Amino acid sequence: MRKTAIVITIGIILLIAGYLLYEKWYSSESTGLWNNVPGNAVLVFESKNAVASWNDLLETSLWNSLKSIEAFKNIQADLAALDSVESGSVANLLQQNNLISMHVTEKNDFDFIFYIDFSEEKNQRTAGKLLDYFKDNPNVRFSERTYQDFKISELISKDHTFTYFINKNVFVGSFTSFLVEDVVRLVNDGFKSGFKLNNALLYDMPKLANDDGNIYINMESASLWLSSFMGAEHRKSIKELGAFSKSTFFDLDVSDAKILLNGFTLSDARSDFLSTFKAQTPIKSSLKYYIPNRAATVYRFGVSDGEQWHKELVNYWKNSAPNFLSARNKFEQQYSFSFSDLYGWMGNGLSLVQLEAFRGSGEEKLAFIHTSDAQEALNQFNTFSESLAQANGDSVYVEYFSTYEIRELEVVDFPKQAFGSLFDGFNECYFMLLGDYIVIGNSMLTLKSLIEDIENENTWGRSVAFNKFLEGNLEESNVSVIFNTRRIWEDIVDELDPRWKEFAIKYTGQIKSFDLGSIQFSKLDESFYTSIAIQYEEQPVIKEKQSYEALKSASLNNKIVTKPYVVKNHVDGSLEVAVQDSAYNFILIAQDGNVLWKDSLGQPIISDIEQVDYYKNGKLQYFFATRSALHIVDRLGNYIDGYPVTVDANLKYASVVDYDKSKRYRFFLADERGNLYLYNKDGVSLEGWNPRELTGKLAVKPFHLRVRAKDCMVAIQQDGVINIMNRRGEMMPGFPLQLDARIGTNPFINIGSDFEKTIITVLSKEGRLINFNLNGKVLSTEQLYKPAKDTRFQLVPDALGKNYIISRQDLTRLVLLTPDSQEILAKDYLSSDHLNVQYYDLGSDHKIYAVTDVAQSFTYIYNKEGQLINSRPFDSEQEIALIYFDTTKKHHVYTISGDTFKVITF
C-alpha cells in the first residue's frame, strides 16, 4: 500500500531517501539518466528540487491528511533517521538529478524504479555511508548475483527485497527485481526501446524551472496501470483509454489546497481520439448553468466545426472500432437518420453528464448537444421521433413539464450511435430543447429532475464552491472531464479490484478530500495544452459533542404545536420558518429569528405548510388547511382573493398537486372517515370528488403520481386497501388492491418509465414489506424479523424521496435497517413510547438519521455510521427540519421546544 500513497500525492520522489542503497562501485564512464528508463514505463517523475518540494509539502493541510495513511505515518521519521547517518547528506543527495519510473508488474499491482546520478564524488561517499548503515543492520541480508554481465545486488529484509545495480554513473534500484532486469536488458540492447526515444517530442516542450517536478506519461501504459486498480470485469474498458492520446508531459505544482499539472499532450493522427480535434479551435462553454449539483462526472467536447469533427471521428472509428462504425451505418439505413445532418447543426460542442444515483434507479445520464440552429435541430429530432413512432404503429409520446415539452425517442442507445461508446447507457431516450441545447435523458424522471434543479438554482453555475473551482480551469478547451469525487465514490469503490477496494474503504476520508478534479485538453499548434487540477478540501468530520450553541432562536408567547416548516423568501432568497402556536396563530419567523407577523386561524393546521406560486409571477404564497377550510396567504400575511375556502368536512389531510409543474394547482384532501376531495386552485370542488368515498380510514395522506403523462391519485387505507384513481376519481385497472395488511406509515415510491416499472413499497405494522406496481400486481412480500409480539415497524423515506430505511422498535430498543435489512444502528432509549424517526440522504454517501423521543422531548442525531453526534440531545418536541449547506459544509437543524424555536448548527 506504500505505492498507492505515493501515487496519490505524486510525491514519489520522497521514497528514495527511505530506501536508498548504494555500493561503492563507480566507473569513470557516464550515461544519461533517461537512457536507462524502459519504454514500458507508465510515467516518469523528474525532480531537481525534491527537498524544497518536500519541505513545502509538510506545511500544507494536504500533508496533515496524508500522513494519517499508514504508508506515510513514518516517512518523516525515516528521513530524519537517514539524514542522521551524515547530517544534511541525504538532502544534498536528493538535490541531484534523479528520476522515478512507474511500471505495471501484474494484473493488479505496480512498482517503481529509482534512478540517481552519482557523477560527483561527494554523492558516492554519501551513498557509501548509507550502504554501510543498512549492511550493519542485523535485520538486513546482503547478496549479489550476475545477470547479463551486470552485477545485481540485493538487500533482503523480512518484508522486502531491494534490488539494484550500477550502470556507469547511474544507480538503478527497485523493490521488484525483474524491473531492474528490464533495465539491464535495455542497456545491453543499446537503449533502442527506451522511454525517451519513444517519446522524444515531449522533451522539446517548454518547462517551468521552479516547480515541484516534471511528469512524463505514456498513455498506452497508463491505461494498463489504471486497469490494475479495477475488478476483472472493468479492466477492458479502462485499457481502451490507451487510444485517447500518445503521451503527455506535465509540470507539477503542489499547494495547500490544490494539485496542478500543466503541460502538453501529443496525439497520433493515425490512431488516437484526441487527434480528431486537430482542426478544431478551443471553445468556451456556459453549460455550468445547466449542470445539476448532483453531477458526478461531466465530459465536454468543444468543437468549432461539427461537420469536420464528424469526418475525423469516422476516420478514427475506421481504425479503432470498425464493428461499431458498421453498426452505426446500419442504424442510419434502418432508421433513415443522417448523423451528418446532426453534426451540421452542432454548435460549440457536446457534453455527457453522469449524475449521482437517485431513487435507487441506477445510472442517470444526460447528453447535451449545443445547436447553431435550435429550430433546425428540434425539427430533425421531432421528425425522427415521429418516424420511430409510426414504425412501431404508435404516436409520439409527449409530456409537458413546467414550460418544457419532452418527447420520447423509441430507440435504444441513440447517443452511443451518434457519438461513440462513451455515450452508452441510454436504454430509453427522452429529449427536449433547453435554451440552445438539445438534451437527451436516459429516463423521463432524469429530465424532470434536471428542470427542477435549474428552476431551483441547484446547478454548478449557481454554486459558489463550483464557481471557485472552475475559475482555475481552462476557459476554452476541446476536451474537458470534470469530476466530483464524493459523488462518484460509491461507483468507483464497487468497480475496484478487491485488494484496492479494501484500501479505498480504509482511507475513504483522505481520498474523498480530493473532492473536485478536472482534466482539460486545448489545441495549441501541433499539440494540446493540457491541464489537470485536483482540489483538496479536508472533509469535515462530524464528531460527538456535549452540546451545541443555537445559531438563532425565537421565544414566542405560546407553546408551538407544529413542526418547523422551512420556507423561502422570494424577495431575497433567505430561509424563513412558519409554525403554529397553541392559540392557533400562524407565525412567520425571519432568518434572523425575529417574528415577521402572526395571524389567528381559530383552528389547528392539519396539513403541511407548502409554498405555491398562485399567480405564476415568481412570488410565493403559503398553502395550508385547517379542519374545515383551505388557506392561501402571501408572505405579508394577507389572504389572496377568494380565500379562505370553507370545506364541508372534518379534514385530516391536505396537499398540493401540480400535475405537470404548470402551476395549475389542485388541492387533494381527505377527511377523518377516508372520503377524498379534489379542489382546483380557485377553491372549486371538482366533479367525481365531492366526496370520493372509500371503504375505510386512510393510513397516510393521499398523494399524486404522474407516470407516462398519466395522473394517479393514490389513497392507502389502514386496512391495507390500495386505491389508485385517475383525475376523474375512477379506479385504475387492477385497483382497489387488497394487501390484507395493517398499514400505518408512509410508502416509498420508485417511479419507473411505465406503470409496470413503477413500484410502491409499503410496510405493514406486522413487519411485512410489500412491493406492488401500478398495474395492481404484487411483486414481492417479505416478512421482516420480528423479535417480539409487540414489535413496531416504520418505513421511513428519505426527506427527498431518494431512498428509505426501516425502523424496528421493541419497547425501548430501536433498530434502523437498510432496505436489504443491514443494520445501521441499534440503540436503547429511556422511553418505550413511539420514537419518531427521520432520514436525510444528502448525497455523496452523506446520511443523517434523527430520532425524536416525543415523551422525553429529545431529538438524537446520528451520522451515516450510526454514531451519535449530540451526546446531549436537542430539546425537541416535534419533528426537526434539517438543511445542509454544501458551501459551508454545515448542517442547520430547526427544532421546537415549548414556546421556543431554535436553529442549531453542526
Side-chain angles (χ1 to χ4, degrees):
M1 295 307 173
R2 173 182 63 253
K3 294 171 292 187
T4 307
I6 298 168
V7 172
I8 294 171
T9 62
I10 320 178
I12 52 182
I13 188 67
L14 306 175
L15 277 183
I16 295 176
Y19 302 100
L20 179 62
L21 303 169
Y22 180 72
E23 184 167 3
K24 299 175 185 177
W25 176 38
Y26 174 69
S27 169
S28 59
E29 298 181 55
S30 65
T31 181
L33 286 175
W34 279 103
N35 292 339
N36 294 270
V37 181
N40 64 0
V42 174
L43 62 80
V44 184
F45 181 72
E46 175 185 45
S47 175
K48 296 181 181 180
N49 302 295
V51 174
S53 298
W54 166 252
N55 290 332
D56 289 343
L57 178 65
L58 294 181
E59 300 299 320
T60 65
S61 55
L62 171 64
W63 174 252
N64 288 333
S65 178
L66 291 177
K67 69 182 181 182
S68 62
I69 295 177
E70 185 176 352
F72 284 95
K73 283 181 180 177
N74 299 318
I75 192 168
Q76 198 168 2
D78 290 344
L79 283 170
L82 280 170
D83 210 38
S84 68
V85 176
E86 184 175 348
S87 180
S89 58
V90 173
N92 291 331
L93 190 63
L94 291 179
Q95 290 298 85
Q96 310 307 309
N97 290 342
N98 49 71
L99 301 174
I100 300 176
S101 60
M102 184 168 67
H103 305 257
V104 175
T105 56
E106 53 183 297
K107 65 180 181 181
N108 65 349
D109 204 2
F110 57 95
D111 208 342
F112 305 95
I113 305 176
F114 307 101
Y115 314 80
I116 301 180
D117 186 348
F118 287 135
S119 299
E120 297 186 22
E121 187 176 348
K122 64 178 182 179
N123 295 336
Q124 301 168 39
R125 290 196 303 268
T126 300
K129 290 187 177 182
L130 287 173
L131 176 64
D132 292 339
Y133 171 80
F134 283 102
K135 282 186 174 181
D136 291 339
N137 189 328
N139 297 318
V140 176
R141 179 169 58 87
F142 179 76
S143 70
E144 291 182 340
R145 59 185 173 88
T146 300
Y147 181 77
Q148 293 190 3
D149 299 327
F150 278 88
K151 184 169 65 175
I152 303 292
S153 302
E154 293 181 326
L155 280 96
I156 305 164
S157 67
K158 180 181 178 181
D159 300 317
H160 302 288
T161 296
F162 186 81
T163 304
Y164 67 94
F165 85 109
I166 306 297
N167 177 29
K168 299 178 182 177
N169 59 299
V170 175
F171 169 89
V172 179
S174 175
F175 286 94
T176 298
S177 61
F178 70 76
L179 291 181
V180 175
E181 294 170 359
D182 284 347
V183 179
V184 172
R185 289 192 293 271
L186 175 66
V187 173
N188 285 332
D189 193 39
F191 308 108
K192 292 178 182 178
S193 58
F195 184 92
K196 184 173 183 178
L197 188 64
N198 292 338
N199 301 279
L201 292 178
L202 286 182
Y203 299 87
D204 297 328
M205 299 295 180
K207 301 174 178 63
L208 297 176
N210 297 313
D211 59 4
D212 292 309
N214 302 321
I215 297 176
Y216 303 79
I217 300 175
N218 177 325
M219 279 302 298
E220 183 176 357
S221 297
S223 64
L224 182 63
W225 171 70
L226 287 171
S227 71
S228 69
F229 292 95
M230 311 307 292
E233 65 275 24
H234 301 291
R235 285 180 189 142
K236 182 179 179 181
S237 60
I238 296 296
K239 288 177 182 177
E240 292 174 356
L241 286 174
F244 179 78
S245 64
K246 182 180 180 183
S247 54
T248 301
F249 155 77
F250 291 113
D251 287 306
L252 171 65
D253 181 27
V254 180
S255 64
D256 190 64
K258 188 174 284 189
I259 297 173
L260 293 175
L261 298 98
N262 292 297
F264 294 90
T265 296
L266 301 178
S267 64
D268 187 336
R270 297 168 297 177
S271 61
D272 65 43
F273 175 75
L274 194 58
S275 66
T276 65
F277 295 89
K278 63 185 180 182
Q280 303 297 323
T281 302
I283 297 296
K284 183 178 180 180
S285 171
S286 59
L287 187 65
K288 66 180 182 179
Y289 294 103
Y290 295 144
I291 300 177
N293 283 336
R294 67 185 183 97
T297 311
V298 175
Y299 302 86
R300 181 181 174 274
F301 306 101
V303 298
S304 54
D305 186 337
E307 291 179 292
Q308 180 61 36
W309 188 43
H310 185 228
K311 292 176 182 177
E312 297 292 346
L313 282 173
V314 170
N315 289 331
Y316 167 70
W317 290 325
K318 282 180 182 177
N319 294 318
S320 65
N323 292 336
F324 165 75
L325 187 59
S326 176
R328 188 176 189 261
N329 292 335
K330 289 180 181 178
F331 182 97
E332 287 187 299
Q333 295 171 6
Q334 179 180 354
Y335 295 107
S336 301
F337 186 88
S338 170
F339 289 121
S340 295
D341 289 347
L342 186 158
Y343 283 84
W345 52 252
M346 181 181 288
N348 63 27
L350 167 72
S351 297
L352 173 68
V353 178
Q354 294 179 315
L355 302 172
E356 185 178 20
F358 183 57
R359 289 183 179 143
S361 58
E363 281 191 323
E364 290 189 72
K365 295 185 176 183
L366 295 162
F368 289 80
I369 313 168
H370 188 261
T371 68
S372 58
D373 187 330
Q375 195 56 52
E376 179 183 352
L378 187 60
N379 288 341
Q380 185 186 25
F381 269 78
N382 285 343
T383 300
F384 184 41
S385 67
E386 289 164 4
S387 66
L388 289 171
Q390 290 173 3
N392 293 324
D394 202 353
S395 58
V396 179
Y397 170 59
V398 181
E399 186 168 337
Y400 296 92
F401 189 73
S402 186
T403 59
Y404 299 90
E405 179 185 88
I406 303 174
R407 289 184 169 227
E408 182 180 20
L409 282 179
E410 291 187 72
V411 65
V412 175
D413 267 337
F414 173 80
K416 176 182 177 180
Q417 298 292 341
F419 310 119
S421 59
L422 177 66
F423 286 77
D424 67 354
F426 286 78
N427 292 329
E428 298 176 2
C429 296
Y430 298 87
F431 72 92
M432 67 180 183
L433 182 65
L434 178 64
D436 294 329
Y437 291 90
I438 292 289
V439 186
I440 305 173
N442 66 344
S443 75
M444 176 66 74
L445 182 61
T446 301
L447 286 182
K448 289 181 176 180
S449 296
L450 170 65
I451 292 169
E452 291 177 334
D453 283 330
I454 292 170
E455 293 184 348
N456 294 327
E457 298 187 346
N458 293 325
T459 63
W460 282 7
R462 306 298 180 186
S463 166
V464 174
F466 271 104
N467 275 300
K468 182 180 178 181
F469 172 73
L470 294 173
E471 284 173 2
N473 280 228
L474 298 180
E475 195 168 323
E476 298 175 340
S477 65
N478 295 112
V479 179
S480 292
V481 182
I482 303 174
F483 57 89
N484 184 321
T485 306
R486 292 180 293 119
R487 296 192 182 277
I488 62 173
W489 182 247
E490 291 187 355
D491 287 340
I492 290 176
V493 171
D494 287 343
E495 295 180 1
L496 288 176
D497 177 87
R499 173 185 177 185
W500 295 109
K501 180 181 293 188
E502 180 183 353
F503 176 87
I505 293 172
K506 184 175 182 180
Y507 297 112
T508 293
Q510 291 88 340
I511 300 173
K512 286 168 69 173
S513 292
F514 298 92
D515 58 343
L516 296 174
S518 64
I519 308 170
Q520 296 180 280
F521 303 85
S522 184
K523 185 70 175 67
L524 182 64
D525 298 327
E526 298 303 313
S527 61
F528 289 82
Y529 183 76
T530 307
S531 177
I532 297 180
I534 302 175
Q535 177 176 286
Y536 171 81
E537 184 173 358
E538 192 169 357
Q539 297 301 299
V541 178
I542 304 174
K543 297 181 179 179
E544 182 179 345
K545 288 180 65 175
Q546 192 70 26
S547 62
Y548 291 85
E549 294 293 327
L551 188 66
K552 60 181 71 76
S553 64
S555 294
L556 308 182
N557 295 327
N558 302 296
K559 178 181 174 65
I560 302 172
V561 295
T562 65
K563 68 179 183 181
Y565 293 92
V566 181
V567 294
K568 182 179 179 180
N569 181 330
H570 65 254
V571 177
D572 59 14
S574 62
L575 297 180
E576 299 172 340
V577 174
V579 296
Q580 187 181 38
D581 67 13
S582 57
Y584 303 141
N585 292 307
F586 182 104
I587 303 169
L588 185 64
I589 303 171
Q591 183 165 264
D592 60 8
N594 291 320
V595 174
L596 293 172
W597 55 265
K598 64 180 180 179
D599 189 19
S600 179
L601 302 175
Q603 287 186 342
I605 294 175
I606 56 90
S607 70
D608 290 337
I609 298 172
E610 302 183 66
Q611 288 188 279
V612 295
D613 183 0
Y614 188 89
Y615 296 109
K616 302 183 182 181
N617 60 2
K619 296 181 179 181
L620 301 177
Q621 301 83 35
Y622 309 108
F623 167 85
F624 54 92
T626 53
R627 284 195 296 262
S628 60
L630 307 181
H631 307 257
I632 301 180
V633 297
D634 65 24
R635 67 170 311 274
L636 299 178
N638 302 313
Y639 278 99
I640 68 169
D641 291 342
Y643 280 82
V645 172
T646 300
V647 178
D648 187 17
N650 185 14
L651 295 179
K652 185 176 182 179
Y653 301 109
S655 60
V656 177
V657 174
D658 188 355
Y659 294 130
D660 54 7
K661 208 174 173 60
S662 62
K663 301 176 183 176
R664 296 190 294 266
Y665 300 112
R666 299 291 185 266
F667 305 119
F668 199 13
L669 320 174
D671 64 19
E672 289 281 357
R673 297 193 302 174
N675 296 319
L676 302 175
Y677 306 80
L678 191 65
Y679 282 70
N680 67 16
K681 67 185 295 184
D682 297 320
V684 177
S685 178
L686 298 178
E687 184 178 352
W689 298 94
N690 192 26
R692 174 63 166 90
E693 295 183 356
L694 301 180
T695 59
K697 295 183 177 181
L698 298 189
V700 294
K701 72 177 180 181
F703 57 93
H704 161 264
L705 295 176
R706 168 168 273 211
V707 178
R708 206 165 176 82
K710 293 182 179 179
D711 294 292
C712 303
M713 314 303 286
V714 184
I716 300 175
Q717 295 178 195
Q718 294 176 6
D719 58 5
V721 175
I722 310 297
N723 304 278
I724 299 185
M725 299 147 282
N726 62 22
R727 287 162 65 165
R728 296 182 298 276
E730 301 163 342
M731 283 291 175
M732 305 285 279
F735 294 94
L737 175 65
Q738 175 57 262
L739 297 181
D740 190 26
R742 296 186 304 149
I743 298 174
T745 63
N746 286 314
F748 173 72
I749 317 298
N750 191 350
I751 297 179
S753 57
D754 55 28
F755 275 28
E756 181 181 3
K757 296 175 183 176
T758 296
I759 300 172
I760 299 178
T761 302
V762 296
L763 180 61
S764 76
K765 292 181 178 180
E766 297 79 19
R768 279 201 299 139
L769 195 66
I770 305 170
N771 291 295
F772 62 91
N773 65 21
L774 290 188
N775 287 332
K777 181 180 180 180
V778 176
L779 304 176
S780 65
T781 300
E782 177 188 359
Q783 176 61 53
L784 302 180
Y785 171 63
K786 187 177 181 181
K789 182 179 179 180
D790 56 356
T791 297
R792 288 170 283 183
F793 292 92
Q794 183 182 2
L795 188 149
V796 186
D798 130 80
L800 295 178
K802 297 179 186 178
N803 211 329
Y804 70 91
I805 60 171
I806 295 166
S807 161
R808 187 184 74 212
Q809 186 178 351
D810 304 292
L811 297 177
T812 61
R813 183 75 168 174
L814 177 72
V815 180
L816 299 186
L817 305 165
T818 64
D820 57 357
S821 297
Q822 297 298 309
E823 186 175 292
I824 299 168
L825 64 84
K827 303 290 181 182
D828 290 305
Y829 297 87
L830 294 176
S831 173
S832 61
D833 289 343
H834 177 71
L835 299 171
N836 198 346
V837 179
Q838 294 171 262
Y839 169 39
Y840 294 86
D841 186 343
L842 303 170
S844 308
D845 196 28
H846 179 186
K847 299 174 175 61
I848 295 290
Y849 309 98
V851 179
T852 300
D853 185 337
V854 177
Q856 301 289 324
S857 299
F858 288 149
T859 294
Y860 303 83
I861 308 287
Y862 301 89
N863 63 17
K864 68 183 181 69
E865 286 83 21
Q867 298 169 341
L868 188 67
I869 69 159
N870 59 335
S871 55
R872 179 180 176 182
F874 300 145
D875 293 330
S876 180
E877 299 166 358
Q878 306 286 343
E879 287 187 351
I880 66 165
L882 183 144
I883 305 288
Y884 178 69
F885 297 91
D886 201 49
T887 53
T888 60
K889 304 294 189 292
K890 292 290 186 181
H891 307 75
H892 286 189
V893 179
Y894 299 75
T895 67
I896 300 296
S897 178
D899 62 356
T900 303
F901 153 75
K902 289 183 179 180
V903 180
I904 299 164
T905 185
F906 65 89

